[in-house]
Amino acid sequence: MKKIMALLLVLATFSCKQAKKETADMEQTVAEELKPEVKLYTFSGGTVNANKLELFSQDTTYTGQSKEFADAFYVIVHPKGTLMWDAGLPESLVASGEPFTAPGDAFTVSRKDSVVNQLATIGMKPSDIDYIALSHTHFDHVGHANVFAGSTWLVQEKEYDYATSEENQKNNADIYNAIKDLTKVQKIANTDYDVFGDGTVVMKFMPGHTPGHQVLFLDLAEFGPLLLSGDMYHFYENREYRRVPIFNYDVAQTKASMAAFEAFAEERGATVYLQHSKEDFEKLPKAPNYLK
């Protein structure tokens, strides 16, 4: 009799655990099915040729080398609103029609099309963009930002202070002038920020490249989780060896953010897209097509 009672107890315990597992699996399935439809559109903000690739390491690894970078920007369409992530190179390059080499010969840049023209391919105009967020305020990420003066600028407090400081206005006037018309500002307290409140579009605070550098996490209903890198890494060799450009704001912060980035990507099983990687740019569908 005792053996029978013990067996029944085991069977009951197993049945309970199985029922809990099935309930958890069902809840996860329902949650996935209820994910809002988020669309990721990818556009070209120009091309950057790094003529002095040695700038992208603290040592002499890349001396004498050069590399061509993509310069993407993105539009994320969510049922609750629309976000533009990054803003490419200056649109004055479109008007000139010619590549421009910066003083010192470090970079040669070009851009073929305006943001207005590119938005038109998905039936949008600047007034349709509710929010603009920049991974950081370097020249190749702020290009057409002022076109979105009617949008709310989501910006980390430290990045805002850095970009609008008297020093930056004096020493990086072109960068300041590219963002000065963004007067509808929502400052983020140097932390992660869930843009639409449901975990599908999250700005991750990862400083070091600049004081308020951030990356963007998306959780798409069909594709799944992905990370847009900002300038955490510019190309895959730097990601593999965690090499830090010599122009980064803080090397120690950068390395800490790299570790946090990799841990988060692994935890969420996120596909990583390096925004300056030509290879990654080619992998993503281009507007008017999208990832969802």
Side-chain angles (χ1 to χ4, degrees):
M1 186 64 177
K2 289 182 179 179
K3 289 182 179 179
I4 293 173
M5 292 296 291
L7 179 59
L8 290 173
L9 182 60
V10 169
L11 290 172
T13 302
F14 175 79
S15 298
C16 184
K17 288 182 178 178
Q18 185 65 22
K20 286 181 179 179
K21 181 180 184 303
E22 289 174 357
T23 300
D25 290 344
M26 187 179 297
E27 288 174 351
Q28 182 176 345
T29 300
V30 169
E32 289 174 355
E33 290 176 352
L34 292 177
K35 273 184 189 176
E37 184 177 71
V38 178
K39 299 175 182 178
L40 171 65
Y41 292 94
T42 301
F43 301 88
S44 174
T47 300
V48 178
N49 199 81
N51 302 320
K52 297 182 178 180
L53 201 62
E54 59 265 30
L55 297 175
F56 291 84
S57 179
Q58 298 287 316
D59 54 28
T60 59
T61 298
Y62 303 124
T63 299
Q65 298 182 43
S66 63
K67 196 173 186 69
E68 187 177 294
F69 295 151
D71 197 358
F73 68 93
Y74 309 85
V75 169
I76 296 93
V77 178
H78 185 282
K80 293 182 179 179
T82 305
L83 168 72
M84 176 166 287
W85 177 255
D86 277 333
L89 287 157
E91 292 199 326
S92 58
L93 294 165
V94 179
S96 73
E98 297 292 333
F100 172 77
T101 299
D105 196 38
F107 300 101
T108 298
V109 295
S110 61
R111 180 167 178 169
K112 294 182 179 179
D113 206 357
S114 70
V115 66
V116 171
N117 286 345
Q118 293 190 69
L119 282 179
T121 67
I122 60 171
M124 287 189 177
K125 51 190 182 297
S127 59
D128 294 318
I129 303 299
D130 299 300
Y131 304 101
I132 182 168
L134 309 171
S135 58
H136 62 294
T137 53
H138 280 168
F139 76 97
D140 52 333
H141 292 261
V142 300
H144 58 243
N146 275 340
V147 174
F148 298 90
S151 307
T152 298
W153 181 20
L154 304 177
V155 57
Q156 301 288 344
E157 287 180 352
K158 287 185 177 180
E159 193 72 10
Y160 181 85
D161 292 344
Y162 167 75
T164 60
S165 66
E166 288 187 14
E167 180 182 357
N168 203 53
Q169 291 183 45
K170 178 181 177 182
N171 298 330
N172 295 296
D174 289 343
I175 292 175
Y176 174 72
N177 288 334
I179 53 90
K180 70 178 182 180
D181 292 340
L182 300 178
T183 56
K184 294 174 65 176
V185 180
Q186 181 178 339
K187 296 180 186 178
I188 312 303
N190 306 314
T191 187
D192 297 348
Y193 181 70
D194 188 339
V195 179
F196 300 109
D198 58 15
T200 59
V201 182
V202 182
M203 303 189 314
K204 303 283 294 178
F205 178 59
M206 294 195 174
H209 187 63
T210 60
H213 179 268
Q214 55 190 353
V215 305
L216 188 67
F217 172 74
L218 302 176
D219 193 3
L220 304 180
E222 292 185 11
F223 183 84
L226 71 84
L227 277 164
L228 296 175
S229 68
D231 277 10
M232 180 65 65
Y233 310 103
H234 293 78
F235 51 101
Y236 272 91
E237 191 174 343
N238 267 18
R239 184 184 180 197
E240 180 180 358
Y241 295 104
R242 310 281 178 94
R243 292 187 177 127
V244 179
I246 64 173
F247 53 87
N248 274 31
Y249 179 79
D250 188 302
V251 173
Q253 272 191 346
T254 300
K255 290 185 174 180
S257 289
M258 286 176 172
F261 179 91
E262 297 299 339
F264 181 77
E266 183 176 358
E267 175 194 339
R268 297 304 301 266
T271 302
V272 173
Y273 287 98
L274 304 189
Q275 292 184 212
H276 280 304
S277 165
K278 284 181 61 180
E279 295 79 8
D280 280 2
F281 180 73
E282 292 303 324
K283 289 176 189 175
L284 288 166
K286 306 304 176 300
N289 298 314
Y290 55 85
L291 206 61
K292 65 179 182 178

